[in-house]
Amino acid sequence: MGATFVADNTELKGLSETFLPETDNFPQRISSSTVGMRDPSPLYGYLLNIENRRRVFTESDYVAQQFAPSFREQTLASFELERINGLVEPNPHIIHPLPYYWDALSDLLEDEDMRTVPLLLMGSSPREQRILAGKGDA
């Protein structure tokens, strides 16, 4: 869960300091349109960049105060899995070079504990594999 970290309080304050908060009860006043939501966005690209997220997580005073050292250590190891998870559902805001995909898949296949992510990357799922093995929904 920690590897879903995007920004800490300092980072978010810097990104939002030029915008007034929405304080009314009209959530679609800004826009109800989904047109352009999948278009590449430099802001989303910046926020979703794994190296940037890992760096901010590591350097954040807020994170250091809020989370135990063991949690922070486990989270740092999980950022790479978060990057690989991003390959399952393509996101126009994240650019993954093709060689990275194959290297990541190879690493996952060599890890005996990783079973679900390689299946998802290859367009399958544990349930589909059970069905193909003749075990139904078991």
Side-chain angles (χ1 to χ4, degrees), residues 26-93:
F26 299 96
Q28 293 186 352
R29 182 175 286 176
I30 295 172
S31 177
S32 61
S33 173
T34 58
V35 174
M37 284 182 60
R38 301 293 291 173
D39 294 345
S41 161
L43 175 61
Y44 289 159
Y46 169 78
L47 289 173
L48 297 177
N49 179 281
I50 295 293
E51 287 79 19
N52 183 56
R53 290 165 51 192
R54 187 182 345 217
R55 179 189 54 74
V56 173
F57 184 88
T58 303
E59 296 173 359
S60 171
D61 291 334
Y62 175 81
V63 169
Q65 292 169 3
Q66 298 297 315
F67 301 107
S70 61
F71 175 82
R72 294 193 315 264
E73 186 177 314
Q74 289 173 347
T75 295
L76 288 173
S78 298
F79 274 107
E80 195 61 25
L81 290 176
E82 179 68 10
R83 178 200 315 261
I84 293 166
N85 259 339
L87 297 174
V88 174
E89 185 67 35
N91 185 325
H93 309 295

Side-chain angles (χ1 to χ4, degrees), residues 117-128:
V117 176
L119 289 174
L120 294 172
L121 286 171
M122 297 180 78
S124 187
S125 72
R127 182 171 184 236
E128 288 176 351

Side-chain angles (χ1 to χ4, degrees), residues 14-36:
L15 288 170
S16 63
E17 64 188 0
T18 60
F19 301 100
L20 294 174
E22 281 297 311
T23 57
D24 58 30
N25 195 20
F26 299 96
Q28 293 186 352
R29 182 175 286 176
I30 295 172
S31 177
S32 61
S33 173
T34 58
V35 174

